[in-house]
């Protein structure tokens, strides 16, 4: 005789009979009714009971002359218990074993799901932290973008002002360029006029030098003439003096002659 099936843990909620549990109970009932040799081995029953139940649908089987039906949730339908035969000890043990195996599977699944839930919570916390960090980065980026937009607007206004100033400077530069061209033209004309004036001045200087040379020669001639005139005046003076002396001599001679004639007449 096999021992009783292990009871579920305290505080665990009673689970409805699943398809695998009902299939185990059906096989146990068939073994009890037809003998141990006609049913499948225990390892096969354990493997079949460990297989996951299918969702939805209904299945049926016969235990002796009665039929066993299950709803889509895995529990017995009400009003069908009267069709079942009286349970035996072997079927109860098999049913208990199937239920305990199903409960162990469910508990293992529950533990795995709890671990998965904890991992998912940790992952969610990590993702929330990363998301908060990314949000802070996004906020900083948005603030930086807004600041850059303000700076870009300021730079755009400054660029417009500088563009207007550059346009004014270009117009002023063009006007100054025209004035510079005019001044260059005037400078060329003035240079040509200066060259002509320099040529004329050189000619005048040569003419002045010639005039000065002629004036010098005329001055020398004048000096010579003055010297000649002085010499002539001196000679004239000498001649006048000689004439005066000759006149005095003539008078004296005349007086002598007169005196002589006068004395001779006496």
């Amino acid at each position: 005789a096999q021992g009783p099936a292990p009871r579920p843990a305290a505080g665990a909620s009673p689970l409805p009979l699943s398809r695998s549990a009902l299939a185990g109970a059906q096989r146990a009932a068939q073994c009890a009714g037809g003998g141990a040799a006609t049913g499948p081995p225990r390892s096969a029953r354990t493997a079949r009971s460990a297989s996951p139940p299918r969702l939805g649908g209904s299945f049926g089987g016969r235990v002796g002359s009665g039929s066993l039906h299950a709803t889509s949730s895995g529990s017995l339908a009400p009003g069908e218990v009267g069709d079942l035969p009286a349970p035996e000890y072997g079927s109860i043990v098999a049913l208990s074993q199937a239920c305990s195996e199903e409960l162990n599977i469910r508990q293992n699944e529950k533990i795995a799901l709890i671990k998965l839930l904890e991992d998912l919570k940790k992952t969610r916390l990590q993702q929330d932290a990363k998301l908060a960090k990314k949000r802070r980065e996004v906020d900083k980026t948005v603030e930086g973008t807004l600041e850059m937009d303000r700076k870009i607007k300021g730079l755009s206004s400054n660029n417009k002002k500088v563009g207007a100033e550059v346009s004014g400077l270009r117009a002023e530069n063009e006007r100054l360029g025209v004035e510079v061209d005019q001044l260059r033209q005037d400078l060329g004309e003035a240079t040509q006029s200066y060259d002509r004036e320099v040529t004329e001045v050189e000619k005048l200087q040569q003419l002045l030098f010639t005039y000065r040379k002629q004036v010098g020669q005329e001055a020398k001639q004048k000096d010579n003439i003055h010297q000649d005139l002085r010499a002539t005046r001196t000679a004239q003076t000498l001649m006048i003096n000689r004439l005066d002396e000759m006149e005095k001599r003539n008078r004296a001679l005349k007086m002598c002659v007169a005196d002589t004639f006068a004395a001779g007449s006496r």
Side-chain angles (χ1 to χ4, degrees):
Q2 299 178 356
R7 294 181 179 180
S13 59
L15 298 175
L17 294 178
S18 61
R19 289 184 177 181
S20 58
L22 293 176
Q26 181 182 2
R27 287 193 297 272
Q30 289 178 357
C31 290
T38 59
R42 182 177 180 182
S43 60
R45 290 197 307 270
T46 304
R48 289 178 182 178
S49 64
S51 61
R54 297 179 181 178
L55 299 176
S58 61
F59 64 91
R62 290 186 175 278
V63 180
S65 62
S67 62
L68 184 63
H69 298 281
T71 61
S72 60
S73 61
S75 60
L76 293 175
E80 294 181 355
V81 182
D83 298 336
L84 294 175
E88 296 182 359
Y89 181 75
S91 62
I92 292 172
V93 171
L95 180 61
S96 298
Q97 290 180 354
C99 291
S100 63
E101 291 175 358
E102 183 70 19
L103 182 61
N104 291 329
I105 292 170
R106 296 297 180 183
Q107 286 180 353
N108 292 331
E109 291 178 356
K110 182 179 180 181
I111 292 170
L113 290 174
I114 290 171
K115 290 181 179 180
L116 180 60
L117 181 61
E118 292 177 354
D119 294 336
L120 290 175
K121 286 181 179 179
K122 291 179 181 179
T123 305
R124 182 179 178 181
L125 292 176
Q126 294 176 358
Q127 294 295 330
D128 290 338
K130 291 181 180 180
L131 183 60
K133 184 177 179 181
K134 293 294 183 182
R135 285 178 178 175
R136 289 193 295 271
E137 291 178 358
V138 168
D139 293 336
K140 290 180 180 179
T141 305
V142 170
E143 292 178 358
T145 303
L146 295 175
E147 185 68 23
M148 292 300 293
D149 289 337
R150 288 193 292 270
K151 289 181 179 180
I152 288 170
K153 290 180 180 178
L155 291 174
S156 298
S157 61
N158 291 330
N159 287 333
K160 290 180 180 179
K161 293 180 181 178
V162 172
E165 292 178 359
V166 168
S167 299
L169 290 175
R170 283 180 179 175
E172 185 70 19
N173 191 14
E174 291 177 357
R175 185 177 62 80
L176 292 175
V178 173
E179 291 181 358
V180 166
D181 293 336
Q182 184 66 33
L183 290 174
R184 285 179 179 174
Q185 187 177 358
D186 295 339
L187 179 61
E189 294 177 357
T191 303
Q192 293 177 0
S193 178
Y194 175 75
D195 293 336
R196 289 193 299 269
E197 293 293 333
V198 166
T199 305
E200 292 179 358
V201 168
E202 289 178 354
K203 290 180 180 181
L204 290 174
Q205 287 179 353
Q206 291 178 359
L207 184 60
L208 181 61
F209 178 74
T210 304
Y211 288 161
R212 284 179 180 177
K213 188 175 180 180
Q214 292 177 0
V215 168
Q217 291 177 358
E218 293 292 333
K220 288 180 181 180
Q221 291 179 1
K222 185 178 180 180
D223 292 336
N224 293 328
I225 290 169
H226 283 297
Q227 290 177 1
D228 294 338
L229 184 59
R230 283 193 297 270
T232 304
R233 284 178 181 178
T234 303
Q236 185 179 1
T237 303
L238 291 174
M239 291 298 292
I240 290 170
N241 291 329
R242 286 179 182 180
L243 289 172
D244 290 338
E245 289 178 356
M246 287 179 72
E247 285 179 356
K248 288 178 180 180
R249 286 178 182 180
N250 287 328
R251 283 193 206 100
L253 183 60
K254 285 179 178 179
M255 288 177 67
C256 286
V257 171
D259 290 335
T260 300
F261 283 133
S265 64
R266 288 175 184 172

